[in-house]
Amino acid sequence: MCSVNDEGAESFEELKPDEPLELKCRKCLTEDGNVILRKKDVYCKTCFIPMVTHKFRATLGKSKLVNKGERVLVCVSGSQSSVSLLHLVWTGLQQSTYKRLTFDPVIVYIDESILFKYPQNQQNKIQELFEKYGLSYHIVLFASVLYSNNCLIEDTNIDQHNNKLKNIFKNISDLTLKEDMLMKLRKHAITKLAKLLECTRIITAENEHKLSIRLLSNVALGRGSQIGLDIGLAVNDKTNSKKSLITIRPLRDLSAKEISYYALFNKLEDYVHSNFLTATNEDESIQKTTEQFINNLQVEFPSTVSTIFRTGEKISEKTSRTAYCSMCQGIMDIEMPPSSAMEATKYSKYVSLMGLKALELSLNNIDNKESDLKRCNGCYCKNNQNSKEELLKNLCYACRHIIQNLESLDDLPEEILKKNSEKLQFQKMEEQIKDFLL
Amino acid sequence: MDICSKSLNITAEFTSGLQILFNNVKKHNVVLPETDEPWTLGLLLIWIKDNLLVEKEKCDLFLKGNTVRPGIIVAVNDQDWELLGNVKYQIKNNDNITFISTLHGG
Ligand SMILES: [Zn+2]
Ligand SMILES: [Zn+2]
């Protein structure tokens, strides 16, 4: 899948610790430097901000993906990257005519306080921030977005929805899987919001550092074939090519340090945005291990992140017949022969993870075949082991690991189950008519 | 030359998720007591660990060895500490020292 030839692999740049530091700004050559990038490039405050803004605009403009007047969902989580993104977008909207950003931004904040402990008044502070910018915005509850179609107005069943969401994570004990599931649900929520708000583009705030961690984590999680979707420009909705939903990551060429200093120099306040790995140790999850690995390397070799990132970009999807996972919309490796490594690890992980449950499941499988006629078509009955098996069939390797932990599929957002049952119907139909096809 | 440093008034700021290690308080006004040796950033790190950090067992989320954990950015009055000699920088009165986490989710 991935091949990096001699020319493709960029060599690591080693540090020369004894070289005297050039303290003047490399751009204006007169001001004293405020920040040093890659251990060698010194910038003063005045030259640094336009440099970051330029990179943002170049990435956004490179793709020519956003049309004039197009509604664009701008996702703000409160993190430093996201408040910087908001500031960059706002600045772009204020500029003189020929440089001005011309799309129509819709800001969203998804409140995850049901899962994580946030400081009091955080939601109010976010609201104040959005009011200050004067752009149109929505603040929505995570569970409402996932389970209600009325999330923009009022969710009358919020308690029930909150419980569903909490249930999902109660059933997953492994931190790696928990975090992976959170990422997929966040993505699901964002996609749903974009559709509800009639946006055709989504802008998210991941920087180069975050994306390179995601890249390596994805490989470790068995999401190697989904790298393109998770770090590049992503087309989320392939059902309607005319109005396809495209995710754009305009901070992807900016380092974490560049973002931090952009926020510092502009005095941008950031807000706590936790995940399941917040303040956890490195050895508890694949994602944190990866992060530590990259950060430690970065100390000695400042080009680590960009090397990983540029290498990852060269990985392209080469699946000829594509099937997409019902949960994450990622590409499924279906072309593999049955005896492949993927199958083998799947089997061994399955047995060791599930133990008794696996045995029960496979016994159930035999039962199912006998009671096939009694089963209703394509619907998802409560606590139905059949429907779980049917969902698993249409999930990618990594999502299967997550869903296996769930007690009941009822806690999943309806759209995921609906999409899956549509897929099953289609597969059944295909099966029935395949003899008539040449 | 005044080798013996008087007590120093500084602010220490923890942002981008780092504040959760400090009772969710971002900005701390700090008085560093008079000492024999001058206050350096290196000494400040230890002082922060002993005096500001809430859960001492979470210390390795802030420090690693005698410096900050990789992924944490340090600035003194909006200037990169890498330009100031890192842990060797000598703290001055009214310095505003910012610690920014680039770790995801804090
Ligand atoms: Zn300059
Ligand atoms: Zn999947």
Side-chain angles (χ1 to χ4, degrees):
Chain A
M1 184 180 63
C2 141
S3 73
V4 179
N5 53 24
D6 290 346
E7 301 95 63
E10 284 133 81
S11 59
F12 278 103
E13 219 174 294
E14 248 186 286
L15 281 181
K16 295 168 204 102
D18 295 327
E19 238 173 67
L21 280 175
E22 179 56 64
L23 296 177
K24 290 278 179 219
C25 169
R26 68 187 301 233
K27 200 77 184 280
C28 62
L29 305 171
T30 52
E31 293 294 313
D32 283 339
N34 279 88
V35 52
I36 175 165
L37 300 172
R38 297 165 291 270
K39 310 251 175 196
K40 58 179 171 46
D41 302 331
V42 180
Y43 288 90
C44 73
K45 220 187 253 194
T46 325
C47 295
F48 179 83
I49 294 174
M51 187 270 292
V52 171
T53 312
H54 178 78
K55 272 195 183 178
F56 160 76
R57 293 298 295 268
T59 316
L60 196 59
K62 213 190 295 173
S63 42
K64 286 214 169 69
L65 275 166
V66 190
N67 300 315
K68 197 174 172 183
E70 189 162 24
R71 280 171 72 84
V72 177
L73 193 77
V74 181
C75 305
V76 177
S77 65
S79 71
Q80 198 163 51
S81 279
S82 74
V83 294
S84 301
L85 173 69
L86 180 58
H87 188 263
L88 283 161
V89 167
W90 181 83
T91 311
L93 292 163
Q94 314 304 312
Q95 273 176 333
S96 60
T97 343
Y98 80 104
K99 267 177 149 182
R100 195 191 304 143
L101 286 176
T102 53
F103 59 79
D104 182 11
V106 182
I107 319 294
V108 286
Y109 172 75
I110 301 177
D111 183 342
E112 295 178 353
S113 54
I114 189 67
L115 295 175
F116 308 105
K117 222 180 100 201
Y118 286 143
Q120 272 188 333
N121 289 330
Q122 172 139 321
Q123 219 208 53
N124 294 341
K125 280 184 183 164
I126 297 271
Q127 189 164 2
E128 276 167 33
L129 174 80
F130 290 173
E131 287 289 340
K132 206 182 76 195
Y133 280 109
L135 303 170
S136 86
Y137 70 90
H138 295 269
I139 294 175
V140 284
L141 298 172
F142 195 17
S144 293
V145 189
L146 292 176
Y147 302 110
S148 162
N149 283 318
N150 223 4
C151 60
L152 293 170
I153 307 148
E154 200 194 357
D155 183 0
T156 42
N157 284 325
I158 184 64
D159 291 336
Q160 190 202 338
H161 294 155
N162 277 338
N163 283 334
K164 278 183 168 203
L165 183 58
K166 280 194 279 186
N167 251 336
I168 288 185
F169 293 107
K170 217 189 288 163
N171 283 311
I172 308 172
S173 53
D174 187 274
L175 263 185
T176 300
L177 297 181
K178 250 188 170 152
E179 181 66 9
D180 199 25
M181 183 64 172
L182 177 66
M183 293 304 133
K184 297 307 158 205
L185 287 180
R186 273 181 187 167
K187 197 182 144 193
H188 182 83
I190 290 168
T191 309
K192 186 170 166 185
L193 276 174
K195 285 178 190 162
L196 285 172
L197 290 163
E198 292 170 332
C199 293
T200 40
R201 299 291 181 264
I202 298 169
I203 290 186
T204 55
E206 299 101 323
N207 58 46
E208 182 191 63
H209 184 239
K210 180 160 187 177
L211 291 174
S212 60
I213 294 166
R214 188 180 290 172
L215 193 154
L216 288 192
S217 303
N218 262 2
V219 173
L221 287 166
R223 293 193 183 277
S225 59
Q226 300 165 5
I227 284 170
L229 186 68
D230 278 347
I231 75 162
L233 282 169
V235 182
N236 291 327
D237 185 3
K238 295 163 195 80
T239 47
N240 186 345
S241 55
K242 267 194 197 136
K243 283 186 85 181
S244 61
L245 194 54
I246 296 176
T247 304
I248 302 164
R249 302 182 171 97
L251 305 188
R252 65 201 294 271
D253 292 322
L254 288 160
S255 69
K257 189 167 183 178
E258 284 170 313
I259 298 290
S260 291
Y261 275 97
Y262 182 84
L264 184 71
F265 293 160
N266 283 298
K267 299 189 170 42
L268 304 178
E269 192 85 17
D270 67 274
Y271 306 87
V272 177
H273 182 237
S274 304
N275 57 44
F276 288 108
L277 308 180
T278 299
T280 59
N281 280 323
E282 280 97 1
D283 49 9
E284 288 176 75
S285 63
I286 287 178
Q287 296 91 334
K288 274 279 158 185
T289 310
T290 312
E291 184 174 39
Q292 186 201 22
F293 170 71
I294 291 177
N295 284 344
N296 288 350
L297 262 180
Q298 183 86 3
V299 173
E300 298 291 324
F301 307 101
S303 57
T304 300
V305 165
S306 51
T307 307
I308 293 171
F309 195 62
R310 304 302 153 217
T311 310
E313 277 189 319
K314 289 171 190 151
I315 302 173
S316 59
E317 293 151 6
K318 274 188 191 152
T319 331
S320 50
R321 211 187 109 208
T322 35
Y324 298 96
C325 167
S326 290
M327 200 171 91
C328 70
Q329 312 305 318
I331 292 170
M332 288 165 65
D333 294 315
I334 48 165
E335 299 286 272
M336 302 266 186
S339 61
S340 71
M342 180 183 138
E343 283 293 314
T345 32
K346 195 172 87 188
Y347 180 74
S348 72
K349 186 92 188 271
Y350 186 62
V351 173
S352 61
L353 253 180
M354 302 297 284
L356 248 186
K357 263 198 209 156
L359 196 66
E360 278 167 22
L361 265 181
S362 55
L363 285 176
N364 255 338
N365 232 352
I366 301 165
D367 285 346
N368 291 347
K369 272 175 197 135
E370 286 160 4
S371 59
D372 220 16
L373 286 170
K374 278 178 262 166
R375 192 175 55 189
C376 39
N377 247 350
C379 96
Y380 37 96
C381 310
K382 280 196 175 200
N383 294 318
N384 191 340
Q385 205 60 63
N386 292 335
S387 58
K388 190 168 183 176
E389 280 293 279
E390 291 196 323
L391 178 63
L392 289 177
K393 248 189 267 171
N394 285 315
L395 294 185
C396 69
Y397 170 78
C399 287
R400 236 174 282 163
H401 281 311
I402 302 173
I403 298 302
Q404 271 164 0
N405 288 284
L406 300 188
E407 240 168 36
S408 154
L409 295 183
D410 289 343
D411 296 329
L412 288 174
E414 205 185 323
E415 293 89 0
I416 292 178
L417 300 170
K418 222 191 235 162
K419 199 171 267 174
N420 192 60
S421 60
E422 279 168 16
K423 230 179 250 178
L424 284 169
Q425 293 280 26
F426 185 76
Q427 282 161 358
K428 254 178 217 155
M429 201 175 75
E430 224 179 14
E431 184 68 24
Q432 279 162 5
I433 61 164
K434 79 168 182 220
D435 294 338
F436 302 105
L437 297 174
L438 287 174
Chain B
M1 283 291 277
D2 185 13
I3 297 172
C4 190
S5 63
K6 300 232 167 63
S7 71
L8 295 169
N9 288 294
I10 61 156
T11 56
E13 256 188 280
F14 304 94
T15 69
S16 195
L18 214 51
Q19 67 269 32
I20 58 167
L21 299 174
F22 301 90
N23 239 341
N24 271 318
V25 177
K26 278 186 178 171
K27 199 168 187 165
H28 299 250
N29 292 308
V30 167
V31 181
L32 298 174
E34 207 175 323
T35 49
D36 292 338
E37 47 179 338
W39 278 101
T40 58
L41 277 177
L43 290 171
L44 177 69
L45 292 179
I46 300 163
W47 188 90
I48 288 173
K49 184 188 83 176
D50 294 337
N51 295 281
L52 290 181
L53 194 71
V54 180
E55 292 166 81
K56 303 282 179 253
E57 63 273 21
K58 296 242 157 117
C59 175
D60 50 348
L61 297 178
F62 180 56
L63 297 180
K64 193 187 173 194
N66 63 349
T67 184
V68 291
R69 177 191 190 187
I72 293 176
I73 285 170
V74 187
V76 181
N77 307 326
D78 284 1
Q79 197 171 23
D80 199 335
W81 81 333
E82 286 179 47
L83 293 166
L84 298 168
N86 297 51
V87 286
K88 281 179 244 143
Y89 170 75
Q90 221 165 302
I91 298 172
K92 294 173 190 64
N93 203 27
N94 295 322
D95 270 352
N96 177 27
I97 299 159
T98 318
F99 298 89
I100 310 170
S101 170
T102 64
L103 300 159
H104 301 289

